Amino acid sequence: MIVLFHVQHLLGIGHLTRTATLARALAGDGFEVTVASGGEPVPGIDFGRARLAQLPAARVADRRFKQLIDEHGSPAGDAWKARRRDRLLTLYEELRPDVVVTELFPFGRRQLRFELLPLLDRCAEERARRGRPRIVCSVRDILVESPKPERNREMLELVRRYYDRVLVHGDPRFVTFDATFPHAAEIADRIAYTGYVVARSDGPPARPGRDAAGGEGEVIVSAGGGAVGGRLLEAALAARPLTRLADLGWRLLAGANLPESEFRSLASRAPDGVVVERFRPDFRTLLGGARLSISQGGYNTLMEVLDAGVRAVVVPYAGGLESEQTLRANLLAAQGLIEVVGEDRLDARSIAGAVDQVLRKPQPAGLARVDTSGDTATVRTLRELVRRGGAGTPSGPRPRPSV
């Protein structure tokens, strides 16, 4: 079975790394997987046996996510959009997939309608003739809540028109999709909870006390993709001498997108006992041996932190209209699993206070309380969907919703 998996990362790299985890699982189970990535290339991402097809790369100009910037640093114009749309459609024709997966869309990435709506229309045309491809959305458990109610209606109509399944990568015992998507009940026949997706590319989950290739007993400070992580790294560096862990080694992991000037400045000011380096593919192993984690609150990082069972201080990203990280972090904090520092009060003293506070608490129970079979459940759901067809069958040709 052939799968075309479309993903776009714009600011961080969480969407891409979660897609890579799912692509590895699918390819490992015999699917022929091609990941069409629309973000800037990220070294070190493991796609396993899946193929990576790089589209002309796009990013966003700022935290508002309004303006797409092309690979040359210019605003993405009509000619660039047409070129990227045509590249994606050509890839579809080359593959003739059995399943097309869009990561996040239609629950986000609205600025990609120029390429995704033509792709979905082409899928619908072919499905009317041969019953395939099946169309699936891969989406995390919590959405960024839209301030415009009509946007939620758009999402609903697009799901009804095109999609066979919405794979929600979460556990409804922890949080349900309707917490941030008010029309979830109207597409309940198409929603399938998979459990949380946890990266497993570097072996089984590492546990505290296990040799961690340089991370044993350290404080690991990580900033995700790094584009907006500079403040966290700076605050952590300044917080070290104020904490009970000042005598331990601290390892600051800057993401691939942190500007080189900021990275060099951090590295130049790091005292003895502090290592500053870029993203490491063995992040999970480092966490397994760490004394403490300090990080942003992205989906993938939090799942890996909890899976390692390490004490954690989390600073959820809340720039622009972002609300997803804050909601998830607060839910976890309410269960005593992490300590949260709001981005609006991020400084050395708040980090130091949170570090000392979390050290007074018992070792967290980690992910024992939630379903973490997101990769295997996704494989099983897609295989059954292709073999049997979807219970939630799209409603057939009708005028495209106004988007």
Side-chain angles (χ1 to χ4, degrees):
M1 285 182 270
I2 300 172
V3 177
L4 173 59
F5 206 131
H6 179 283
V7 60
Q8 174 73 55
H9 63 283
L10 290 171
L11 199 60
I13 61 172
H15 295 275
L16 184 64
T17 55
R18 184 167 55 251
T19 293
T21 298
L22 296 173
R24 286 195 304 271
L26 288 163
D29 198 63
F31 286 82
E32 294 182 24
V33 182
T34 296
V35 176
S37 175
E40 295 179 323
V42 179
I45 301 292
D46 178 17
F47 290 92
R49 299 176 185 174
R51 167 196 176 197
L52 176 64
Q54 179 65 53
L55 300 174
R59 57 181 176 85
V60 285
D62 53 41
R63 295 183 179 202
R64 293 175 297 172
F65 286 83
K66 296 293 185 184
Q67 177 65 62
L68 283 180
I69 302 299
D70 67 20
E71 66 269 43
H72 305 297
S74 302
D78 291 343
W80 181 90
K81 291 178 179 180
R83 178 164 58 91
R84 211 174 100 144
R85 176 203 64 211
D86 292 346
R87 175 69 189 100
L88 182 60
L89 292 176
T90 297
L91 184 61
Y92 174 87
E93 298 299 339
E94 291 171 354
L95 295 172
R96 299 295 298 279
D98 300 291
V99 181
V100 170
V101 184
T102 60
E103 198 278 334
L104 188 56
F105 190 84
F107 300 101
R109 298 293 182 260
R110 190 173 184 271
Q111 60 272 68
L112 301 182
R113 299 185 314 281
F114 69 88
E115 66 182 7
L116 289 175
L117 290 180
L119 174 65
L120 293 172
D121 280 338
R122 179 68 186 91
C123 292
E125 292 169 4
E126 188 166 5
R127 183 170 55 193
R129 294 197 306 271
R130 68 182 185 107
R132 294 185 186 182
R134 296 294 176 184
I135 304 175
V136 175
C137 170
S138 167
V139 63
R140 66 194 175 209
D141 57 339
I142 296 172
L143 303 179
V144 174
E145 296 187 69
S146 174
K148 300 179 180 180
E150 62 269 22
R151 292 284 189 262
N152 289 320
R153 178 59 60 175
E154 278 182 16
M155 298 170 193
L156 173 66
E157 291 302 316
L158 287 167
V159 171
R160 282 175 164 171
R161 177 171 174 81
Y162 294 112
Y163 286 81
D164 297 284
R165 284 288 184 277
V166 175
L167 301 184
V168 177
H169 301 306
D171 184 339
R173 295 173 299 177
F174 176 65
V175 62
T176 53
F177 198 49
D178 59 6
T180 50
F181 183 59
H183 299 295
E186 298 176 60
I187 51 170
D189 59 336
R190 305 181 201 202
I191 291 176
Y193 289 93
T194 67
Y196 287 94
V197 176
V198 181
R200 306 186 192 281
S201 60
D202 58 348
R207 297 298 176 191
R210 178 176 167 179
D211 178 30
E216 187 70 35
E218 293 180 337
V219 175
I220 304 297
V221 184
S222 58
V228 293
R231 280 188 63 208
L232 171 60
L233 298 172
E234 292 280 358
L237 184 63
R240 180 181 182 244
L242 307 178
T243 73
R244 293 165 51 191
L245 302 181
D247 294 334
L248 295 184
W250 285 46
R251 188 174 299 269
L252 277 57
L253 300 179
N257 296 327
L258 185 75
E260 184 64 21
S261 60
E262 293 185 43
F263 177 80
R264 290 182 180 276
S265 176
L266 275 171
S268 69
R269 291 180 283 112
D272 290 344
V274 176
V275 176
V276 179
E277 57 186 337
R278 292 284 187 179
F279 166 81
R280 285 178 51 157
D282 62 345
F283 177 65
R284 289 178 63 245
T285 305
L286 289 175
L287 285 176
R291 177 75 181 276
L292 180 80
S293 166
I294 302 173
S295 72
Q296 289 188 309
Y299 177 106
N300 301 302
T301 300
L302 277 185
M303 292 305 109
E304 291 167 353
V305 164
L306 294 175
D307 195 38
V310 63
R311 288 182 173 88
V313 173
V314 174
V315 183
Y317 171 63
L321 298 175
E322 292 289 320
S323 56
E324 169 250 337
Q325 290 195 14
T326 299
L327 175 55
R328 187 183 297 104
N330 287 340
L331 288 170
L332 291 170
Q335 297 188 27
L337 295 176
I338 62 173
E339 192 74 18
V340 174
V341 173
E343 193 178 56
D344 60 345
R345 59 186 186 93
L346 174 59
D347 58 25
R349 291 194 177 279
S350 65
I351 291 291
V355 167
D356 290 346
Q357 179 67 23
V358 80
L359 290 173
R360 299 187 189 101
K361 297 181 178 181
Q363 192 78 18
L367 288 179
R369 304 180 188 181
V370 297
D371 181 0
T372 59
S373 61
D375 52 353
T376 57
T378 296
V379 171
R380 181 176 64 251
T381 301
L382 292 193
R383 193 170 290 283
E384 291 175 354
L385 179 65
V386 173
R387 184 170 61 244
R388 300 178 185 176
T393 303
S395 56
R398 58 193 176 101
R400 178 188 288 170
S402 174
V403 294

